[in-house]
Amino acid sequence: MRLLEEARILPDEAAREAAETAEGDVVTAVELQERDGNPVWRVSVLGVADETAIVHVVDAKSGEVLDRSPA
């Protein structure tokens, strides 16, 4: 519950931020997690053009994409 209370960015905002990296990408999951004591959204995105799955870690306070890695 603490993570949700600290989050300033809503899940749909985090999903939009992650999916803006390439046109046609599809968000498949959004999950609130903790990273270094801070809330982050873990956004799974599927690239439609090349069928790659990427996980974006979005700071739930600022909306900044902190990390991108293959799923």
Side-chain angles (χ1 to χ4, degrees):
M1 185 69 152
R2 175 190 66 80
L3 292 177
L4 190 56
E5 290 173 355
E6 291 181 9
R8 299 290 174 248
I9 303 300
L10 298 173
D12 62 328
E13 294 171 305
R16 272 196 307 275
E17 185 67 34
E20 284 182 2
T21 58
E23 189 173 326
D25 286 357
V26 177
V27 174
T28 58
V30 180
E31 181 181 358
L32 185 61
Q33 295 184 344
E34 183 175 354
R35 182 181 197 184
D36 300 326
N38 295 307
V40 296
W41 292 107
R42 185 177 186 269
V43 183
S44 299
V45 178
L46 178 63
V48 175
D50 56 6
E51 298 184 5
T52 57
I54 303 290
V55 174
H56 302 255
V57 178
V58 180
D59 186 305
K61 292 181 180 179
S62 70
E64 177 186 357
V65 177
L66 302 174
D67 190 27
R68 291 183 177 93
S69 59

